[in-house]
Amino acid sequence: MRRTIQRLLVVAAHGDDETLGAGGTIAKLADEGVTVALCVLTNDDGSRSESGNGVTNRISAIELAAKILGIERIQVNEFGDNRLDTVGHLELNRVVEREVRDFEPDTIFTTSMADLSVDHQLVSRAARVAGRPGKGSVKQIRAYEIRSATDIGEASGLQPGFRPNCWESLDEQHVDRKLEALRAYGKELEEWPNPRSERGVRALAEYRGSQVATGLAEAFEIVRTVHQ
Ligand SMILES: [Zn+2]
C-alpha cells in the first residue's frame, strides 16, 4: 500500500526531540519524496548547562540535523527550555496553529503525553489542538517516543504509558542518518548505558523492529487517522 503522507509537520519541544523520536522515519519519508517541516518550540538548553542558567542557541545544530534527515523547512521558536509551563497554552497553541495554517500538513508527528517532561506533554497537547478535526488539513497525528523521556515516564509510573500501534521499518542507512543527526547535537549524546547514547538509540530501533519481525524500526502511537 502506498502511503498517504505527502506533507509532514514534526512538532518538537526541543531541538533533538524530532531526531530521537522519528529521525529514521523522517529520513525514510524524505527519501520517498515527502515534504517535511519541523517546528521546535524552544531554543536553549538552560536547564542542562552546568550552572543551570546558561543559554545555548541551538539553531545551527537543528539546521544541521534537519539537513542530514532531509527536512526542508524549519521554524524555531524562542520559548525557554523547561519553562513551557510558564507560557500560556493559548500562545503555544497559536504558534503550532500558525505553522499548520502556513505549511498545510496532512500529517503531524509530535511528542508523547506519556513523557515525563512537562515540555513534551504541553507540546503534544498544542500539536493536537492545532491538528484537531475541522481545523485545517491534518488527517493523521502520531506521537513518537524519545529515549530518556518516554521510557523514563514509564519507569516513573506515568499512566497511561506509550502504547505503540504503528511501526515504521527502517534500513540501516536510516538509522545511520538518525545517529549522524544526533551527533549534530553534540553533547546531547551520552555514554552507554544511558538511554540517550548511540547504543541506546540503536537498541530501541532493534527492539521495535523485533516486535514486528523486521530488522529495525521506530514505533509510534497513532492519535488519529482519517482515511478518505
Ligand atoms: Zn525534549
Side-chain angles (χ1 to χ4, degrees):
M1 185 182 82
R2 226 36 260 142
R3 67 174 67 251
T4 51
I5 302 176
Q6 292 181 334
R7 296 178 72 79
L8 167 64
L9 174 63
V10 183
V11 182
H14 315 106
D16 79 2
D17 291 344
E18 78 297 336
T19 302
L20 282 159
T25 301
I26 292 169
K28 171 181 163 180
L29 295 179
D31 284 356
E32 291 177 6
V34 174
T35 305
V36 186
L38 172 63
C39 174
V40 183
L41 275 298
T42 67
N43 183 31
D44 73 66
D45 55 1
S47 70
R48 291 182 190 161
S49 69
E50 278 166 24
S51 64
N53 58 12
V55 171
T56 307
N57 188 312
R58 286 186 164 192
I59 287 184
S60 57
I62 293 170
E63 284 176 345
L64 181 55
K67 191 168 173 219
I68 293 163
L69 298 177
I71 295 170
E72 293 178 31
R73 171 189 166 107
I74 303 167
Q75 190 221 14
V76 181
N77 297 276
E78 300 291 333
F79 299 119
D81 177 22
N82 264 311
R83 288 191 290 277
L84 286 184
D85 57 341
T86 64
V87 180
H89 61 263
L90 268 179
E91 196 176 344
L92 269 188
N93 295 348
R94 239 194 313 266
V95 166
V96 186
E97 279 177 342
R98 192 172 55 226
E99 187 62 12
V100 167
R101 196 171 55 239
D102 292 349
F103 179 64
E104 298 188 322
D106 49 62
T107 303
I108 292 177
F109 290 179
T110 189
T111 43
S112 169
M113 294 295 289
D115 291 5
L116 190 59
S117 160
V118 172
D119 281 1
H120 288 197
Q121 294 176 14
L122 292 170
V123 165
S124 190
R125 190 178 291 274
R128 292 161 200 246
V129 170
R132 67 193 182 274
K135 201 70 182 141
S137 49
V138 179
K139 300 288 180 284
Q140 183 180 121
I141 300 178
R142 296 186 198 178
Y144 49 74
E145 64 177 331
I146 296 178
R147 297 244 52 183
S148 90
T150 315
D151 41 13
I152 286 178
E154 195 168 288
S156 304
L158 286 194
Q159 293 290 338
F162 182 76
R163 303 269 301 270
N165 53 10
C166 170
W167 284 256
E168 290 279 356
S169 66
L170 302 174
D171 293 340
E172 288 285 346
Q173 65 108 343
H174 300 131
V175 176
D176 285 348
R177 272 162 69 195
K178 173 172 181 155
L179 291 172
E180 193 188 339
L182 273 181
R183 285 192 286 271
Y185 287 105
K187 64 191 166 114
E188 299 304 316
L189 271 176
E190 309 284 349
E191 294 296 317
W192 173 261
N194 190 298
R196 202 171 279 220
S197 59
E198 287 200 18
R199 184 170 160 192
V201 169
R202 195 179 163 84
L204 181 62
E206 289 176 348
Y207 171 62
R208 289 308 186 194
S210 67
Q211 277 188 306
V212 288
T214 186
L216 298 161
E218 282 170 341
F220 297 85
E221 193 175 86
I222 299 214
V223 175
R224 181 180 78 250
T225 186
V226 179
H227 297 287
Q228 289 185 317

